Amino acid sequence: MDIDTIKNNLTGWVKERYHVEPFMDLITKKTVPQHKHSTWYYFGGITLFLFITQIITGILLLFYYKSTANTAFDSVKFIMTKVEFGWLIRSIHGWSSNLMVFTVFVHMFSTFFLKAYRPPRELTWVTGVFLFFLTLGTGFTGYLLPWNELSFFATKVGTQMAGSVPYIGDFLRTILRGGEEVSDATLGRFFGFHIIVLPLCIFAVLGAHLAFVQLQGMSEPISVKNGKEKKSIPFFPNFLLRDILAWMLALGVLASLAVFFPAELGKKVDPFAPTPVGIKPEWYFLWMFQALKLIPSKVFIFDGEVVGILGFGVMGLILLILPFIDIWSRKEKRNLFLTLLGIFMLAFIVVMTVWGLIDN
Ligand code: HEM
């Protein structure tokens, strides 16, 4: 039997049982625009690849990880020293989470500047912003799990920051910590959020995000839309093969980082010790941490930290409702104001992050 007969028999078998034609039509007829900004289209796919890597390596780590204050650190030490390739799996999980946060930032700001959020893609953008928050939340909750000095005190500082949210701050801090202090109860709930709640939310929101992208196809930037020459390539197999190539490149970067800069474990925490000087959160929260450090303790009559937290809240809200405040979008016009706002946000995040890294 030749390959075509096998293929026809198989597709015939599926088609007799399931109504897959509309789905096949969507995949085979879909095209992807090609222009000088097309490279940015690959970042969503790379983020997806890193998310799948997180799920697989996370499940493997779960076979040995023990989520109580007495056992967590030692179980991670066991994974690193006794489990075959345990160090590598943990290292890949750690690096992949960092790369995923990085590619989410790139994907978000590239779709921002290319105005891919404009009608009819408002909901693709809104689900994307939720994915951004969920990704940061998963990173934050996962950081505590090794129960080492760095992760413990970074969580203490982070949950303290949540305590500055006006009105609900105390409630939020207590809910996050499971009590007054970071303790075994905090580890328990961070573990639950990290391995079940947040990944399930990501699955659900990502499902909608990808469905919207499939149904509406990829957007074209305004300059390309108004231009004369338009090129596109079929999604299947041409774009998909390029996507897979991007995944292979991401895998190369990930494997090199995981092998040459393996994840460290640090010291087991003593919860009663004072917070060591120079403790910093993960790099992707550093911009907020640094900005809060720079704000004076009083801004007029308001508490400086509260003003800072409110500022971040406003930034998040602007991102969330961006498609609905872009009043230029109906006329398909460029809008300098929102582009400048995006540049300002990005510059602020980058400058504060670099400042935070070099500041002691
Ligand atoms: C877990 C995180 C995410 C994953 C796995 C993901 C995945 C994807 C994929 C595979 C695509 C199609 C290819 C592409 O345009 O890159 C896409 C498109 C898109 N994503 Fe995401 N995404 C994520 C987060 C976000 C975020 C944070 C935003 C923005 C706030 C966003 C906004 C968009 C938009 C507007 C499009 C349509 C692009 C266009 O039509 O040109 N996504 N996403």
Side-chain angles (χ1 to χ4, degrees), residues 41 44-45 107-108 121 124-125 128-129 132 206 209 213 218-219:
Y41 289 149
H107 179 51
M108 180 164 82
R121 294 182 180 74
T124 317
W125 172 267
V129 176
F132 172 65
L206 188 57
H209 191 71
V213 174
M218 238 77 106
S219 70

Side-chain angles (χ1 to χ4, degrees), residues 30 40-49 51 100 104-105 107-109 111-112 114-118 121 124-133 135 202 206 209-210 213-214 216-220 239 243 319:
K30 189 182 159 179
W40 300 112
Y41 289 149
Y42 296 100
F43 278 87
I46 296 176
T47 311
L48 182 62
F49 168 72
F51 176 62
M100 181 176 164
V104 164
F105 267 105
H107 179 51
M108 180 164 82
F109 277 104
T111 47
F112 187 134
L114 291 174
K115 315 270 189 288
Y117 57 77
R118 285 184 159 187
R121 294 182 180 74
T124 317
W125 172 267
V126 172
T127 48
V129 176
F130 279 113
L131 286 172
F132 172 65
F133 294 148
T135 307
I202 294 187
L206 188 57
H209 191 71
L210 296 181
V213 174
Q214 285 309 316
Q216 297 176 322
M218 238 77 106
S219 70
E220 278 179 328
F239 185 77
D243 238 352
L319 280 179

Side-chain angles (χ1 to χ4, degrees), residues 101-102 104-106 108-109 112-113 132-133 136 282-291 294 311-312 315-316 319 340-358:
V101 173
F102 176 73
V104 164
F105 267 105
V106 175
M108 180 164 82
F109 277 104
F112 187 134
F113 292 127
F132 172 65
F133 294 148
L136 291 186
E282 281 275 71
W283 64 268
Y284 41 89
F285 291 118
L286 208 52
W287 62 279
M288 293 195 237
F289 182 74
Q290 186 64 18
L294 296 176
F312 302 142
M315 224 166 139
L319 280 179
L340 286 177
L341 184 76
I343 293 175
F344 173 76
M345 279 190 192
L346 185 59
F348 179 72
I349 292 174
V350 172
V351 169
M352 284 298 146
T353 306
V354 175
W355 196 337
L357 284 172
I358 53 180

Side-chain angles (χ1 to χ4, degrees), residues 34-45:
Q34 283 296 293
H35 45 78
K36 62 177 187 226
H37 305 294
S38 308
T39 318
W40 300 112
Y41 289 149
Y42 296 100
F43 278 87

Side-chain angles (χ1 to χ4, degrees), residues 170-185:
D170 284 341
F171 170 75
L172 204 64
R173 191 185 47 224
T174 315
I175 286 285
L176 282 172
R177 289 185 176 176
E180 284 303 309
E181 290 298 329
V182 176
S183 67
D184 192 40

